[in-house]
Amino acid sequence: MKKTSKKTWFIAFVVSLGGFLFGFDAGIISGVMSYAGPEFDLNDIQSGWVVSSPSFAAMIAMLISGRLSDIVGRKKVLLMVAFLYALSAVLSAYALSYNMLWIARMIGGLAFGAALILAPTYIAEISSAENRGKLVSIQQLNIVLGFFAAFLCNYYLNELNTSSSSFLTDETVWRWMLGVELIPALLYFFMLFFVPKSPRWLFLKRKIEEAKSILRDLHGSLKAKSEIESIEKNITKESTKEKVRIWELIKPGLRFIFFVGLSLGILQQITGINAIYFYATSIFKQTGIGTNAAFASGVLLSLTTVVFTFVAIFLIDRMGRRPLLLTGIAGIALSMLLCGYGFNKATYQLTEEEVNSISALDPSKLSTIVGKTFESDIDFKRAMKEALGTQIYAKNEGAILEAATDMNATLVLVGILGFIACFAFSLGPVMWVMLSEMYPNKYRGLAIGVIGFVNSFSSWLIQQIFPWELSNLGNAMTFLIFGIIALIGFFILFKILPETKGKSLEELEAELIKK
């Protein structure tokens, strides 16, 4: 590998660390809420808002970050992103109230919304055509590695939080979980000083010689010459291009592929992926395996994501987009239905010995519950909250459910891991690949922007309502709904999803616009 190629790979890796921080932030909160929720005595809506508020802020950042980077430059905005990540980590760790916690997390949301838009843009602008796809894919890989690092961090910090520990307690362990993010955020900030400005942005700002110098440094003189010609030709073409309007996406020639893209964008989120990621520890607690095992299962979940993301990278150009997506969505539906079945078979009963074994519980308050069998998790949790109060129940939920739950926890674990595996090789990465391929060049940016916004809104909505669903609909019904949605999505996409593998963008434009 040539020196210039190594330099390009290094730059792509540094810039996509924003994706790592997104994954880390998203993964870490599943462990945090096991402690921060009870400490601030949060209700379902408040818990949902703490988890989902970064996604809400990210929607705003996605709308403005592209335009801001056109004005001040990609690199400056990425430096702001790294700073906001660091600021969010510090403020979150020192949060003194519910309001301070969600505001701190929204600051982080502004960062990852901008990062998810700008990192692929910047990487594409410093890459050559031959390695652009591989380099941009580093972003998705960094996201899943961030999830893995977060779940691993949560697991070890939870293991260190013992009754004999004076360093980590229930009141401080979640602050360390959030504060650890400061380390990769600072690393990201300082490493960004080693990446150049985007040569394409420099061309747009008429800083031609600086842009040419960077391209020569990255690709060598010969390759840089063809890249310079390509950029100059593209800028000339764009300067004469008519501005497109959002309503043009639903005109007859584009309506079909816009509907396909919108279906993919919505389905990717409403099948429950971010409910699983953001609430993984809470979900595993519901199976009765206990708090420690729930944290360990989170590590297994994130490792599964990493493995099957590599599977997607390996198969996407061999197997094709359509079969990969349809196979994955069918697997998602079956996995969610399996989880619903497992939870539906659960029963809940506390014996006197089990109550006495949990030191934080007052047996006198549970006299009407001890020995009684509950067929529904909703009824059991409602009775426990009425007897103990929501804060005491929330603090001890893992231990209570571990003692009371009688169910096949392995069945649910298989269902969750099956869902994660199927998502990681289908809807996760393949959706974005198809969105980049289906639309004519003139409309591509607008279409992906609109679908990305709807995708982010769907993500925020699922995160916000998931705690309410568990409390009011129950575990079984919640997962059954996700399974049914995936099943409906499978039949819709089986009917309408095109195959884009092995076709040039021009061929796809002629074929899909005609359709």
Side-chain angles (χ1 to χ4, degrees):
M1 190 179 288
K2 296 179 182 178
K3 184 179 178 183
T4 51
S5 182
K6 284 183 179 178
K7 186 175 289 187
T8 308
W9 279 94
F10 169 76
I11 292 168
F13 174 77
V14 170
V15 171
S16 63
L17 281 175
F20 177 90
L21 283 159
F22 162 67
F24 191 91
D25 188 85
I28 210 78
I29 197 65
S30 72
V32 168
M33 293 310 293
S34 295
Y35 296 103
E39 179 164 335
F40 293 131
D41 195 18
L42 304 182
N43 60 35
D44 293 333
I45 300 300
Q46 290 171 325
S47 293
W49 182 240
V50 169
V51 172
S52 68
S53 54
S55 294
F56 189 84
M59 287 190 287
I60 300 168
M62 284 178 174
L63 291 176
I64 63 173
S65 58
R67 180 59 186 145
L68 182 62
S69 75
D70 286 341
I71 298 169
V72 303
R74 320 296 193 223
K75 182 175 176 178
K76 284 184 180 178
V77 178
L78 286 169
L79 283 166
M80 283 189 265
V81 163
F83 174 77
L84 290 175
Y85 269 128
L87 180 63
S88 173
V90 173
L91 293 178
S92 298
Y94 282 97
L96 302 175
S97 66
Y98 157 68
N99 286 326
M100 185 174 174
L101 182 58
W102 69 256
I103 290 170
R105 285 187 49 73
M106 282 193 90
I107 292 171
L110 291 172
F112 74 64
L116 290 178
I117 292 292
L118 287 182
T121 301
Y122 176 93
I123 293 169
E125 290 178 350
I126 58 102
S127 309
S128 62
E130 291 79 11
N131 61 13
R132 187 171 295 128
K134 291 184 178 68
L135 290 172
V136 172
S137 71
I138 294 175
Q139 167 94 339
Q140 179 66 22
L141 185 59
N142 257 320
I143 291 172
V144 298
L145 288 174
F147 274 113
F148 179 66
F151 281 109
L152 201 61
C153 181
N154 276 345
Y155 172 73
Y156 279 113
L157 287 173
N158 183 68
E159 285 289 296
L160 293 171
N161 176 28
T162 61
S163 56
S164 60
S165 172
S166 57
F167 170 59
L168 288 178
T169 65
D170 286 358
E171 288 71 35
T172 62
V173 65
W174 64 271
R175 297 182 184 277
W176 281 97
M177 289 174 179
L178 290 168
V180 164
E181 190 177 343
L182 179 64
I183 298 170
L186 289 176
L187 180 67
Y188 183 37
F189 182 80
F190 288 116
M191 288 183 77
L192 281 171
F193 285 99
F194 294 95
V195 307
K197 294 175 182 176
S198 162
R200 193 179 192 286
W201 179 79
L202 289 169
F203 265 102
L204 289 170
K205 294 298 177 182
R206 300 290 185 265
K207 298 180 179 181
I208 310 299
E209 289 309 312
E210 186 179 356
K212 288 180 177 179
S213 175
I214 291 170
L215 286 168
R216 291 188 196 104
D217 189 41
L218 289 173
H219 305 300
S221 299
L222 191 63
K223 185 65 184 172
K225 186 179 179 181
S226 65
E227 289 292 317
I228 289 165
E229 289 173 358
S230 176
I231 291 171
E232 289 176 333
K233 183 179 177 182
N234 191 261
I235 287 173
T236 303
K237 185 179 177 182
E238 286 193 359
S239 65
T240 59
K241 194 163 66 176
E242 290 180 39
K243 196 169 184 179
V244 296
R245 308 291 179 184
I246 191 167
W247 55 81
E248 291 183 52
L249 295 174
I250 57 172
K251 67 183 185 181
L254 290 169
R255 192 179 300 151
F256 168 71
I257 53 171
F258 182 63
F259 177 71
V260 172
L262 207 55
S263 301
L264 285 171
I266 294 171
L267 190 66
Q268 190 200 52
Q269 294 300 328
I270 64 170
T271 47
I273 184 60
N274 281 338
I276 303 298
Y277 274 140
F278 285 66
Y279 296 97
T281 305
S282 298
I283 292 169
F284 288 127
K285 276 187 187 179
Q286 302 299 313
T287 66
I289 61 176
T291 299
N292 291 343
F295 275 90
S297 297
V299 176
L300 185 58
L301 178 149
S302 56
L303 181 60
T304 302
T305 307
V306 173
V307 171
F308 281 89
T309 298
F310 280 110
V311 170
I313 293 170
F314 179 76
L315 289 178
I316 192 165
D317 286 322
R318 291 173 172 83
M319 188 173 172
R321 285 61 157 152
R322 179 182 162 90
L324 210 56
L325 268 172
L326 293 177
T327 302
I329 295 167
I332 286 169
L334 291 174
S335 298
M336 291 287 93
L337 293 173
L338 184 64
C339 289
Y341 175 79
F343 278 120
N344 188 54
K345 293 296 181 181
T347 59
Y348 305 84
Q349 185 187 63
L350 278 174
T351 64
E352 194 172 330
E353 291 76 22
E354 287 167 339
V355 171
N356 291 329
S357 70
I358 304 172
S359 59
L361 302 187
D362 182 354
S364 64
K365 293 182 178 180
L366 298 171
S367 56
T368 58
I369 296 175
V370 171
K372 183 178 179 182
T373 300
F374 292 83
E375 302 290 334
S376 160
D377 61 299
I378 303 175
D379 295 338
F380 174 73
K381 285 184 275 191
R382 187 176 293 139
M384 292 298 294
K385 288 174 184 177
E386 287 173 358
L388 299 172
T390 55
Q391 191 169 30
I392 292 176
Y393 173 78
K395 280 188 174 182
N396 298 279
E397 183 179 54
I400 292 169
L401 289 174
E402 184 177 8
T405 306
D406 180 18
M407 69 176 292
N408 189 342
T410 305
L411 198 66
V412 174
L413 179 61
V414 169
I416 297 291
L417 294 179
F419 169 82
I420 290 297
C422 292
F423 184 89
F425 73 72
S426 63
L427 274 173
V430 180
M431 182 198 80
W432 294 108
V433 173
M434 291 202 71
L435 291 186
S436 71
E437 293 173 329
M438 287 194 300
Y439 300 101
N441 187 55
K442 180 179 178 182
Y443 299 99
R444 189 173 297 127
L446 178 64
I448 293 175
V450 171
I451 293 167
F453 181 82
V454 174
N455 176 269
S456 297
F457 177 79
S458 304
S459 171
W460 168 77
L461 187 63
I462 292 297
Q463 294 169 48
Q464 178 65 44
I465 67 172
F466 188 69
W468 179 90
E469 284 184 293
L470 290 183
S471 293
N472 294 276
L473 302 179
N475 301 325
M477 181 57 69
T478 298
F479 285 96
L480 178 65
I481 289 171
F482 285 142
I484 291 172
I485 289 171
L487 206 56
I488 293 169
F490 171 82
F491 287 112
I492 291 173
L493 291 179
F494 184 82
K495 180 74 174 173
I496 67 171
L497 192 68
E499 177 57 82
T500 58
K501 171 196 166 189
K503 298 173 184 176
S504 71
L505 296 180
E506 291 73 26
E507 287 173 333
L508 287 168
E509 181 173 340
E511 180 183 317
L512 295 175
I513 297 299
K514 182 180 177 183
K515 187 171 182 178

